[in-house]
Amino acid sequence: MNKPEILAPAGSYEAFLAAVHNGCDAVYLGGKAYGARAYADNFDIETLKRAVEYASGYGVNIYYAINTLFKEKELEGLLGHVAEVINAGVDALIVQDLGVLRLMRDLYPEVEVHISTQMNCHSLASVKYLEAQGVQRVVLARELNLDEVKYIRKNTTMDIEAFVHGALCYCYSGQCLMSSFLGGRSGNRGRCAQPCRLPYEGLLDEQIVDKSHVLSPKDMETLSILPRVIDAGIDSLKIEGRMKSPEYVGLMTSLYRKYRDLYLSGDDYKVTQGDFDEVLQTFNRGGFTTGYYEHHNGPFMITKDQPKNQGLEVGNVLGRSGKSLTIKAKRPLVAGDCLEFILEDGSYESVILKKDIPRLGEIALLGNGSVDVPFRRIKSVELSNKINFRNAHSLKQKVQVMVMLTAGQASKMIICAESGAHRVEVLGEQVQKAMKQGLSEEKVKKQVSKVGHLPVEILDVQVVLEGDTFMAVSQLNALRREAFDTFLDIKMKHPVEKQAYQSQKFIPKQTHKKNITVLLNNRHHIDTVMDYDVERIYLEWSNFTSEELMEVMNLERVRQGQCEVWLALPRIMRHEKDSAIDKLLATYDDQVEGFLVRSIDGYGRIADYKKKIQWDYGLNAMNTQSVEALKLLDGFDGFVPSMELKFGECRSLPMDEAEVLVYGHLDVMTSAQCVLKTLDGCQPEQGRFLHMMDRKGVKVPVETNCHLCYNRIFNGTPLYLIDKIEDYQKIGTYRFRIELTTETEEQIRKIMKTVTMNHKQKPESILDDYTRGHFNKGVE
């Protein structure tokens, strides 16, 4: 039976130690820069080296995350950093950016590369692409179910890594622009502000039907289904939590190690209530789900009430006198515990106990607490002490070592390290005759005993010196390090040289061409758009029937070759929906010119058609290397630059091959969840739009894709860059896209007239509200 790795997170050195000493097989972590958790403590190079050496002594691997998107100007610095990290001895690099993957394979082919879940690998097609690039491991999208995981596992030689515990994003990872467009903090670059955890008003037919945290998923746990997860063939069980405390890391690591080993031992598998209560107490958002392994989606996966840690229910409120509550606890509470109470207005207030409460007691609040309701403990002193106790008393034991060192004139120094039957002997440099002061036994013992943070305990050092001998301290230290590295089987990686990065220089050639493309969401937009000079239309494939597709093909301008028809692939094309995808493919007509492709998975489904490919912004092309990676795939006809680049940063890309969005409500989230199902139950209707209202009063459009069962959430404010077209023409761009979603015919005519005729017109003259996106500021 497959024995999967327990992979633990570490956002700090303390969390790293907690992971190692609670039984992990590997740790993933990141540095002060370049990782997807910019707000964790993270590791500098010296701390990383210390962690690598320490982990090696326990047989624990370290995977280093550089899983963000990179701008062109950052690639040179990244390569220098990567060389330092490789030389520090990490076991693998975790990558998101297609361009960075290309550089790693070209410049450091000997380095093991893992693909982050941020690359949004949701079918075998992307896994096969990565396998061909020499990737050793892929972290699958968290939305996949166990049958999909099994299918991929059976059809690839790569390691499969999958999350088993921790926070879930509402959006498919790597496809979220919500934090970026609402607050300027890019989730793709490790700075997510989590706007999905905020409350929204759900609107159906313009009526408010809900106000809650409708986009906030509960955390996942899989202890309850771990045998099924292991049987799916997953090679690495990944615990989320680089922003979590060492106590959290220690507890989750120990529990997943415990229950993995229990299942593999063949004994009866059952998670005790005590262990599950500890999981709840440590961190939960209103309970847990098993993620997407057993269900595609559902309101039971959403924590509508409160998105933060909700702890464990430990008692009830019996009564109130003024602002003091009388409480009855189910278990003893101790000073330092943090309790949380519901107030009459529906909000919450937390109180830290100043004294023990065995069963009954009084709590003074600032607000008016509700009566006859449960209260929760969100921090337990007892559990914190227990976790610390566990860390202190269940440490992997240090190896007890006997050391012997012998040296004589005109011979080489020999150091021997021995523990039971395990013995290593290392031959050092030639010993010299002392000219002045020779080696002393005390000095040799002192140097040999310096084991630092290595997991060894020296019981005794025996030194045999023959004659008046001398050896430099640096040579003695090197001999000691070699001996203990050999004894502990610390494998030193072959050092690499920093590789220089030569950025491609593009000389912008101004163009006066202005080819307009339009993405159409449904059939009724087409007749209006056809009144204007449009080079190409993209049809949102999922929303068009085969009959509607043929209607479009028979339009006069299309038949006369004045306007191309392309199909826009769905953003998500999973194996779970293979029958629906096959039905979509059956609507394909050979007359279409090409495809707008949103993912590597999508490309894998249509590559055999040998048609032209326009790569959309879901591929996150932020640097020349990522563009080059896309150009290597058959059919390349153009790309859309990352929507997080400012105008000045686009200059570093081959903009004569780019298509730039100049108007539209951008797709800022693609989710396996369904807002409509959460608000009002499952009501299948392909392409239906509903809305949410954010805290600023902006209506956020949400579209259902019921064929493939996912939602698209759009930015509530449309992007308007039509008056910036000339700026883009100056750097070689000639193709500009309009995206239409919920616009009326009148709005469409204003937009199309502006973009095809007087594109200098300011947005205020045709729009009530608009955004420039990242045109001016970009993202950090």
Side-chain angles (χ1 to χ4, degrees):
M1 184 183 293
N2 175 50
K3 183 178 181 180
E5 169 187 86
I6 303 297
L7 177 57
S12 67
Y13 193 78
E14 291 72 24
F16 159 76
L17 291 176
V20 171
H21 290 305
N22 280 281
C24 74
D25 300 297
V27 176
Y28 66 101
L29 49 80
K32 299 290 185 181
Y34 305 125
R37 288 294 181 267
Y39 302 119
D41 288 342
N42 292 317
F43 291 70
D44 59 27
I45 288 296
E46 291 308 312
T47 309
L48 177 64
K49 290 178 180 177
R50 182 155 55 106
V52 168
E53 192 173 61
Y54 192 87
S56 296
Y58 285 123
V60 171
N61 288 335
I62 289 187
Y63 309 141
Y64 190 84
I66 49 172
N67 56 332
T68 63
L69 302 179
F70 292 88
K71 301 176 184 179
E72 185 71 15
K73 65 182 181 182
E74 296 169 331
L75 291 179
E76 183 176 0
L78 171 66
L79 289 183
H81 181 69
V82 164
E84 286 186 307
V85 167
I86 294 171
N87 289 332
V90 300
D91 296 280
L93 298 174
I94 307 171
V95 170
Q96 172 192 2
D97 192 307
L98 279 173
V100 174
L101 170 60
R102 186 167 184 260
L103 286 175
M104 293 304 101
R105 295 299 76 195
D106 287 348
L107 302 179
Y108 301 112
E110 74 283 2
V111 175
E112 185 168 320
V113 172
H114 298 176
I115 293 301
S116 169
T117 191
Q118 288 287 110
M119 201 178 277
N120 184 29
C121 298
H122 53 263
S123 80
L124 183 62
S126 57
V127 173
K128 283 294 186 184
Y129 165 79
L130 295 167
E131 188 175 50
Q133 305 306 308
V135 171
Q136 284 78 18
R137 176 182 292 190
V138 60
V139 187
L140 296 177
R142 278 174 271 201
E143 288 77 5
L144 302 190
N145 62 45
L146 288 177
D147 287 338
E148 291 174 298
V149 174
K150 286 180 183 177
Y151 176 75
I152 293 171
R153 170 66 285 163
K154 289 179 180 178
N155 290 281
T156 182
T157 60
M158 279 201 297
D159 275 3
I160 297 298
E161 183 178 308
F163 283 92
V164 293
H165 195 95
L168 292 170
C169 292
Y170 194 82
C171 180
Y172 279 89
S173 293
Q175 299 298 296
C176 184
L177 293 171
M178 182 176 277
S179 174
S180 178
F181 270 76
L182 292 186
R185 286 169 52 178
S186 170
N188 284 319
R189 286 168 60 84
R191 293 170 172 82
C192 183
Q194 297 192 326
C196 49
R197 300 290 183 187
L198 297 172
Y200 292 86
E201 292 180 351
L203 305 177
L204 294 177
D205 300 323
E206 300 300 316
Q207 300 296 313
I208 299 174
V209 298
D210 188 280
K211 183 176 181 180
S212 65
H213 301 273
V214 69
L215 304 182
S216 180
K218 295 176 182 177
D219 282 16
M220 72 182 301
E221 66 79 24
T222 60
L223 290 173
S224 54
I225 62 166
L226 197 58
R228 291 182 57 209
V229 172
I230 293 173
D231 289 346
I234 295 170
D235 298 285
S236 181
L237 307 177
K238 186 170 192 172
I239 301 167
E240 184 275 337
R242 280 170 58 197
M243 297 290 289
K244 297 292 201 320
S245 68
E247 290 79 12
Y248 169 93
V249 172
L251 178 65
M252 298 310 152
T253 301
S254 68
L255 289 178
Y256 278 88
R257 170 65 182 263
K258 171 183 175 180
Y259 285 104
R260 179 203 66 180
D261 292 351
L262 175 64
Y263 177 60
L264 296 180
S265 72
D267 292 339
D268 289 341
Y269 186 90
K270 183 179 180 180
V271 181
T272 68
Q273 187 61 49
D275 282 343
F276 197 75
D277 283 349
E278 287 188 357
V279 175
L280 285 166
Q281 181 66 80
T282 303
F283 194 92
N284 80 90
R285 291 182 170 98
F288 289 97
T289 72
T290 53
Y292 294 93
Y293 287 135
E294 298 182 303
H295 307 278
H296 183 92
N297 59 27
F300 64 91
M301 296 179 69
I302 304 299
T303 176
K304 295 172 66 177
D305 177 50
Q306 187 184 7
K308 65 179 185 178
N309 179 26
Q310 297 189 25
L312 183 68
E313 184 181 311
V314 290
N316 286 276
V317 178
L318 301 180
R320 185 177 74 205
S321 176
K323 291 188 177 181
S324 291
L325 300 180
T326 302
I327 63 170
K328 181 179 181 180
K330 297 178 180 178
R331 62 194 73 192
L333 307 174
V334 301
D337 282 354
C338 186
L339 308 181
E340 188 170 72
F341 297 89
I342 303 174
L343 303 184
E344 287 188 334
D345 63 2
S347 62
Y348 296 86
E349 183 178 330
S350 58
V351 176
I352 297 177
L353 291 184
K354 295 181 180 178
K355 61 180 181 180
D356 295 353
I357 299 179
R359 290 294 176 182
L360 292 172
E362 283 197 355
I363 298 290
L365 300 181
L366 297 174
N368 292 317
S370 297
V371 179
D372 297 327
V373 293
F375 66 90
R376 302 186 290 240
R377 182 175 59 194
I378 57 176
K379 181 179 180 181
S380 166
V381 171
E382 180 185 9
L383 180 57
S384 294
N385 290 338
K386 181 178 179 182
I387 294 173
N388 287 332
F389 175 85
R390 180 179 293 144
N391 289 344
H393 290 79
S394 67
L395 300 182
K396 295 185 176 182
Q397 296 298 312
K398 290 187 175 183
V399 182
Q400 295 181 327
V401 183
M402 300 284 293
V403 179
M404 176 177 288
L405 187 143
T406 60
Q409 292 181 13
S411 66
K412 292 187 176 183
M413 183 174 285
I414 300 173
I415 187 170
C416 173
E418 183 176 351
S419 178
H422 183 37
R423 185 177 188 274
V424 300
E425 191 173 279
V426 176
L427 195 63
E429 298 289 332
Q430 185 83 24
V431 178
Q432 303 171 22
K433 181 178 180 180
M435 301 300 294
K436 295 181 181 179
Q437 185 177 359
L439 289 175
S440 67
E441 184 176 333
E442 292 74 19
K443 186 175 183 179
V444 172
K445 282 186 175 182
K446 180 181 178 182
Q447 294 305 123
V448 171
S449 299
K450 290 181 177 179
V451 296
H453 50 268
L454 293 178
V456 297
E457 177 185 353
I458 296 179
L459 296 180
D460 187 32
V461 178
Q462 297 179 14
V463 178
V464 179
L465 299 174
E466 298 177 357
D468 203 7
T469 58
F470 172 79
M471 175 176 277
V473 171
S474 60
Q475 293 175 312
L476 191 56
N477 289 340
L479 182 61
R480 180 201 67 226
R481 283 194 296 269
E482 183 181 355
F484 284 121
D485 287 352
T486 304
F487 184 82
L488 295 171
D489 195 27
I490 296 176
K491 299 178 178 64
M492 301 305 295
K493 306 294 189 297
H494 181 70
V496 301
E497 296 292 332
K498 175 186 173 182
Q499 299 292 323
Y501 177 68
Q502 295 296 325
S503 179
Q504 297 187 44
K505 301 296 182 183
F506 297 100
I507 301 175
K509 294 182 180 180
Q510 184 169 349
T511 180
H512 297 287
K513 287 178 65 178
K514 186 181 68 172
N515 293 353
I516 304 303
T517 69
V518 182
L519 175 63
L520 299 171
N521 206 60
N522 52 61
R523 172 67 179 86
H524 73 261
H525 288 158
I526 294 177
D527 294 331
T528 305
V529 168
M530 282 297 173
D531 289 341
Y532 300 90
D533 184 14
V534 174
E535 175 209 17
R536 178 188 301 173
I537 57 174
Y538 300 108
L539 306 182
E540 194 64 64
W541 195 355
S542 300
N543 293 343
F544 284 80
T545 65
S546 56
E547 291 78 14
E548 289 173 332
L549 178 61
M550 291 310 301
E551 285 180 27
V552 175
M553 295 298 178
N554 288 319
L555 291 173
E556 184 176 356
R557 288 196 63 216
V558 175
R559 285 189 289 104
Q560 293 180 354
Q562 298 173 347
C563 180
E564 298 176 352
V565 176
W566 290 45
L567 294 182
L569 296 188
R571 294 187 177 274
I572 304 297
M573 302 178 77
R574 288 169 46 184
H575 295 298
E576 178 192 57
K577 297 295 179 181
D578 271 346
S579 59
I581 293 169
D582 290 342
K583 188 174 180 180
L584 280 175
L585 291 172
T587 69
Y588 170 73
D589 188 279
D590 195 50
Q591 290 173 282
V592 300
E593 295 289 332
F595 297 97
L596 178 65
V597 179
R598 275 83 173 254
S599 67
I600 296 294
D601 300 84
Y603 174 80
R605 298 298 183 108
I606 53 83
D608 290 341
Y609 285 114
K610 305 299 182 183
K611 291 286 184 176
K612 290 187 286 188
I613 302 295
Q614 171 70 41
W615 291 97
D616 208 2
Y617 56 86
L619 275 294
N620 296 316
M622 191 171 266
N623 55 65
T624 57
Q625 293 298 316
S626 54
V627 176
E628 290 300 315
L630 296 175
K631 289 174 70 172
L632 288 173
L633 297 172
D634 291 340
F636 178 87
D637 189 67
F639 73 101
V640 178
S642 165
M643 299 307 300
E644 297 185 304
L645 290 175
K646 64 182 179 181
F647 173 74
E649 291 166 337
C650 289
R651 293 174 180 272
S652 64
L653 302 182
M655 293 302 289
D656 58 336
E657 299 178 292
E659 180 172 280
V660 172
L661 271 68
V662 292
Y663 173 83
H665 290 269
L666 292 186
D667 186 339
V668 294
M669 269 197 179
T670 302
S671 177
Q673 288 294 329
C674 179
V675 174
L676 177 61
K677 186 174 182 179
T678 299
L679 294 176
D680 199 34
C682 184
Q683 301 178 37
E685 183 180 346
Q686 178 66 27
R688 175 179 176 179
F689 273 94
L690 57 148
H691 290 85
M692 300 182 300
M693 189 89 75
D694 70 15
R695 56 183 176 157
K696 295 182 179 179
V698 176
K699 291 174 68 175
V700 178
V702 181
E703 183 193 35
T704 61
N705 186 322
C706 295
H707 292 331
L708 302 181
C709 199
Y710 66 78
N711 273 188
R712 296 169 66 195
I713 300 176
F714 296 86
N715 199 33
T717 307
L719 176 74
Y720 186 92
L721 295 175
I722 296 175
D723 57 336
K724 303 295 183 182
I725 284 178
E726 284 190 1
D727 292 333
Y728 282 105
Q729 287 176 314
K730 289 177 181 177
I731 60 173
T733 312
Y734 65 89
R735 185 172 287 150
F736 303 94
R737 187 197 301 176
I738 302 293
E739 291 199 349
L740 300 175
T741 48
T742 60
E743 289 79 7
T744 64
E745 181 180 346
E746 180 183 1
Q747 290 171 326
I748 293 173
R749 290 196 178 279
K750 284 183 178 180
I751 293 163
M752 294 306 302
K753 182 178 179 180
T754 301
V755 75
T756 57
M757 298 174 66
N758 180 20
H759 59 257
K760 293 183 180 180
Q761 191 167 346
K762 294 298 180 183
E764 294 85 356
S765 62
I766 60 174
L767 296 172
D768 294 330
D769 196 11
Y770 66 95
T771 177
R772 295 295 195 183
H774 291 297
F775 180 85
N776 294 311
K777 291 186 177 181
V779 295
E780 290 184 14

